Amino acid sequence: MISISLYVHFPFCQKRCRYCDFVSYPLTSRTEHQAYLALLQRELSLQMEKNVLQGRELLTVYFGGGTPSLFEAGDFALFLEEAKKFFPFRDLPEITIEINPEGFDIEKLTAFKKIGINRVSVGVQSFDHWRLNILGRWVSLHFLTDLFAEVRKTFSSWSIDLMYGLPGESLDLWQRELEQALEFDPPHLSIYNLTLHPSVPLYAFWKKHPRLFPSPEFEALVWEWIVRRLKKEGYHHYEVSNFARPGFECHHNLRYWNNDEYLGLGVSAWSYISGKRRKNTSSLKNYRQRLAKGELPIVFEESLSPSRKLGEKIVLSLRKNEGIPREFLYAWGKIERKEKHRIIERLIQEGWLVEVDGYLRLSPKGFLLANQVCAELIDSA
Amino acid sequence: MSSMNWIRNFAIIAHIDHGKSTLADRILEICHAIPKGKMREQFLDRMDLERERGITIKAKAVRLQYFSPGQKREFLFNLIDTPGHVDFSYEVSRSLAACEGALLLVDASQGAEAQTLAHAQVALAQGLVILPAINKIDLPAANVERVEKEIETILGSNHLPITLVSAKHGTGVEELLERIIEYIPPPQGEKTPHLKALIFDSLYDPYRGVLPFIRVVDGEIRRGMRILFFSTKREFEVLGVGVFTPEMQEVECLGPGEVGYIVCNMKNIQDSRVGDTITSADHPISQPIPGYRKAKSMVFCGFYPVDSERYEDLKEALEKLQLNDASLHFEADFSEALGFGFRCGFLGLLHMEIIQERIEREFSVEVVATAPHVVYRVLDKRGEVLEIKSPRDFPSPGEIEEAEEPYVEVKIIVPSAYLGGIMELCQGRRGTFKDMIFLEENSVLLTYELPLAEILLDFYDRLKALSRGYASLDYEFVGYRPARLVRVDIFVNRERVDGLSFISAQDNAYYRARYLVGKLKNLIPRQLFVVSIQAAIGGKIIAREDIPALRKDVLQKCYGGDITRKRKLLEKQKEGKKRMKAIGKVRIPQEAFLAVLKSEP
Ligand SMILES: Nc1nc2c(ncn2[C@@H]2O[C@H](COP(=O)(O)OP(=O)(O)OP(=O)(O)O)[C@@H](O)[C@H]2O)c(=O)[nH]1
Ligand code: SF4
Ligand SMILES: [Mg+2]
């Protein structure tokens, strides 16, 4: 049976973080939430009419945002009911929700669990007040301690999101961040770089005070320490910025890296179905209008050309620890085998790639320069 | 008397930005040349680049009908708006050859500047009547009295009366036009079958071929006539004649003193040499009009397509641009590091910059330009004289008997407060002091002789910096002088990059090499491996820096399955790489090639 995943986007937040360039609308009334939910259901049934998706096995569901945790458990229950009508599943799918701890009502956790959500991902970003402040966020350690105690009680699979590359970082400070996270003993951690789009307030800050931000050398140092430390704790570095205890990988994210199909619902959601990448409108108003007219809210669609497909395959596979089969690289693309061989051998010799059982993987040093190494491999494809 | 009495041919000359094109606007308006609603500022600056940069690049002729309230009759004006920038001085001198008079415009707030003087001297030398005017009198910073003194120093005490104008507001422009009629003489010419006309410019039109712009001196030119070009001895049939209104408009004929263009099915722009004389093939004259110096390329550099497969496109672009710009030179060139390209000659740095920009913009060919340099002359040990148009061809120290480099006479006008700093600058650039005159209490005209190479080496930027922007500069080639020169080679990862080689006075070579190597370290993006940069003279390393290897990329989260964003990032990165030239495995951006021209921070 062909499988599928669902990504559902909730474009509402209590307030705007200073580094964020996602589509998000300020928190609104309960009625508007319910209205949005109705739109999601409408979109789902429209998608089912226009795409031949019926009968696929639903493997994962991801409620992302924005801040989906502003919604009530009942909302998600309603949505899941609807989804089950279209997609059968054998085992219970992995159903994740993103939680923004700021202003979160801890009581909701049990309710989430009850309606079938079985994984939560908590966007902490940092435990340090000053750094949270810079990001435009606020949450106390005291609250987080309570929150994670409850999370651990309720869920076996959960994750903490942390961010590095923030102003005023020191190795010492970062060690404290990670040690703090480890105290909560999360089965999964996502650790990624701060990236700033020119439209966000923190970008202007960075322009003005670039020296407050850590250098790539320093980030490399921090990163190497993180990787070592987590390995020692028994975490498995299964993707560029994701770490998990064995068996606690995020299956939903893995589907992205594996190039498996997923249907995205909601404002500005992405889908990948039948070799096509699609994006929904980023405007809530437009989303509403299009659905009212019985149209799909798609604003961008591309059928991947063979070379792009290949490029994506390389990028996505190398993000994962298992890597990409060498033979696959030989089998595809325009360049002669001999030339490819030369490039691959050079990358191995220079220590960017390692080969394990016919699979090419990024070395620890290669992980740090994943973009560069991918670019060279794509050039060779 | 003939109708020539009612003709006035004049050019507007001035330093850059003193308001020539704006004054031309007012004159066009008074003569009702442009329909209402079509008028825009600096109407005659029509090229995109001219409009964007707000400067005139090409001189432009316009024929106007002016009704004089004073004389109560109509006059025919041929006005030429000229560029002010030093690179385009040759445009001014050839425009002046088509005129009897020149309006010398001086900005009331800036005072006389280097090209005010240079252009006035050319006009005087050509025997033109100079009608001075002070512009921008509306500005609060206007200092008319001071500028009057300067004009007197430049033109002498018996100069014509100075008109005070504001080209922006139109103040004084009518008075100026009446003075043009009064003081600028009508053309002197004869109605004879012996046609004598001067080519002062030309244009390439894809449909009609090369159109020479001419000023008729004697006789008439009309459709059907056969004409002879003096210097090439080639004959053509006149298929049409016209004038600029400023649009091109066909007319019956052009008589003595008149200015216009001719159509003669000419394919090759070299056949219409600016400064050449046209005569009637049936009734030729025996002596041509004394021509003027051909514009000579002073500055050379290499142009290489970023994408080597676009060599042919680059060639086509240069050929097309040359059709309208006889001062652009190019010949095929091959660089070990940069591949196939062209060695190009320009009038100056602005000219080079404009050509590069036009190639990229109008022909979409991206080019890497190497640092501009002058033409050296070397007498080698075998007694042969070599013209060095590329640093690559400069012989090693052992093979040189004597080397020479071009010198220019530099005229700098500077407020006396900054005099000391400027003299130090000239001294430090191997200059020889020649002369110093006070144009007015606070403004000095300095004359130095300097190697042209020093001018290319950010001299202008330093001059401006040392004078808070007040100093201005004009220069003219005066000849070759012996010099002690060496070639400095740059190696990137032990591979010589010939596009980065430069020739330097021996005494400065160390310093310049160290400075350049330091600059390159910052300009060449970090790669996956350590990149070494070395400078050497004849095999001896004199400077070295290493660019550390890249350590880390941004590790991004992939939100909600937005793979496209990730891929686009990579594609953008690839695109950025493409804009750079690959030397072995190292990518070198354009700025690196120009860093050769920076002498100090
Ligand atoms: N205030 C004031 N500004 C003026 C006047 N005349 C010209 N300008 C301004 O001076 C600037 C330069 O004017 P242009 O007419 O382009 O000068 P130009 O001499 O043709 O310059 P080039 O062709 O580049 O040598 C423009 O911004 C004009 O608006 C004037 O009478 N008063
Ligand atoms: S909570 Fe998330 S989506 Fe909302 S503003 Fe902050 S970073 Fe952006
Ligand atoms: Mg102008």
Side-chain angles (χ1 to χ4, degrees), chain A residues 7-17 19-27 36 64-68 70-71 98 197 199-200 265-270 279-287 299, chain B residues 559-560 562 565:
Chain A
Y7 173 80
V8 192
H9 194 76
F10 295 85
F12 303 97
C13 294
Q14 213 151 17
K15 62 178 205 280
R16 210 169 217 336
C17 304
Y19 62 94
C20 171
D21 70 322
F22 301 130
V23 189
S24 117
Y25 295 89
L27 172 69
Y36 185 68
T67 312
L70 290 172
F71 282 64
E98 281 179 353
H197 190 267
S199 63
V200 305
L265 298 171
V267 170
S268 84
W270 285 85
K279 185 183 193 268
N280 280 353
T281 170
S282 300
S283 142
L284 181 56
K285 192 167 147 211
N286 188 243
Y287 181 70
V299 287
Chain B
Y559 286 97
D562 181 358
R565 185 176 180 157

Side-chain angles (χ1 to χ4, degrees), chain B residues 135-424:
Chain B
N135 186 30
K136 308 197 189 179
I137 54 164
D138 57 293
L139 287 177
N143 186 344
V144 170
E145 220 174 293
R146 172 191 145 203
V147 181
E148 282 175 341
K149 280 193 209 152
E150 291 174 343
I151 290 177
E152 189 161 327
T153 318
I154 293 171
L155 296 181
S157 55
N158 55 351
H159 63 81
L160 292 172
I162 298 171
T163 316
L164 301 184
V165 301
S166 162
K168 190 168 179 179
H169 301 301
T171 330
V173 179
E174 270 108 348
E175 191 187 353
L176 185 63
L177 295 184
E178 289 299 305
R179 284 186 172 164
I180 287 172
I181 290 170
E182 192 178 338
Y183 292 106
I184 295 180
Q188 310 279 312
E190 284 173 54
K191 274 207 161 143
T192 106
H194 299 281
L195 170 72
K196 186 186 201 182
L198 171 78
I199 304 178
F200 67 92
D201 202 350
S202 59
L203 174 87
Y204 180 80
D205 178 302
Y207 303 105
R208 295 178 291 177
V210 180
L211 310 179
F213 294 2
I214 58 163
R215 148 80 195 256
V216 179
V217 180
D218 294 321
E220 271 186 359
I221 190 163
R222 56 172 73 239
R223 173 151 8 115
M225 246 174 98
R226 291 204 63 80
I227 50 170
L228 177 75
F229 286 69
F230 235 92
S231 69
T232 55
K233 297 276 175 274
R234 294 200 56 182
E235 263 186 55
F236 288 90
E237 183 186 335
V238 179
L239 303 175
V241 264
V243 294
F244 311 95
T245 69
E247 305 309 325
M248 287 191 170
Q249 190 187 327
E250 290 243 346
V251 294
E252 268 304 299
C253 81
L254 291 173
E258 289 192 274
V259 173
Y261 65 90
I262 56 174
V263 187
C264 56
N265 196 20
M266 182 187 281
K267 289 283 168 267
N268 186 351
I269 195 133
Q270 309 302 345
D271 285 340
S272 168
R273 287 247 310 271
V274 169
D276 197 7
T277 303
I278 295 178
T279 186
S280 153
D282 302 326
H283 307 278
I285 47 168
S286 52
Q287 281 297 314
I289 308 163
Y292 36 84
R293 220 178 46 219
K294 213 180 138 194
K296 194 168 156 44
S297 307
M298 304 284 273
V299 171
F300 280 77
C301 81
F303 276 0
Y304 304 88
V306 169
D307 174 357
S308 51
E309 280 175 18
R310 305 210 55 197
Y311 172 82
E312 284 298 326
D313 298 334
L314 175 57
K315 183 169 172 204
E316 193 188 318
L318 285 165
E319 279 167 354
K320 289 231 168 97
L321 287 173
Q322 200 182 41
L323 286 177
N324 270 325
D325 186 349
S327 57
L328 167 67
H329 289 275
F330 64 90
E331 53 198 69
D333 185 47
F334 176 74
S335 149
E336 293 152 37
L338 300 166
F340 287 97
F342 296 91
R343 184 92 340 224
C344 306
F346 308 94
L347 298 163
L349 297 179
L350 179 67
H351 187 213
M352 165 179 161
E353 194 181 312
I354 283 172
I355 296 289
Q356 183 178 359
E357 200 170 323
R358 290 187 67 182
I359 292 173
E360 299 199 336
R361 198 189 284 201
E362 292 166 32
F363 302 88
S364 319
V365 181
E366 279 172 32
V367 294
V368 168
T370 58
H373 55 83
V374 302
V375 179
Y376 295 94
R377 274 196 206 150
V378 172
L379 177 69
D380 69 12
K381 288 258 150 81
R382 291 167 306 172
E384 215 163 332
V385 177
L386 314 167
E387 281 229 320
I388 310 293
K389 287 188 185 157
S390 159
R392 193 180 52 232
D393 302 333
F394 199 81
S396 58
E399 295 167 51
I400 300 174
E401 184 67 41
E402 188 182 56
E404 288 184 331
E405 66 179 321
Y407 269 66
V408 287
E409 183 178 271
V410 179
K411 289 198 153 72
I412 298 168
I413 296 185
V414 59
S416 28
Y418 306 111
L419 188 60
I422 302 295
M423 289 180 75
E424 257 175 55

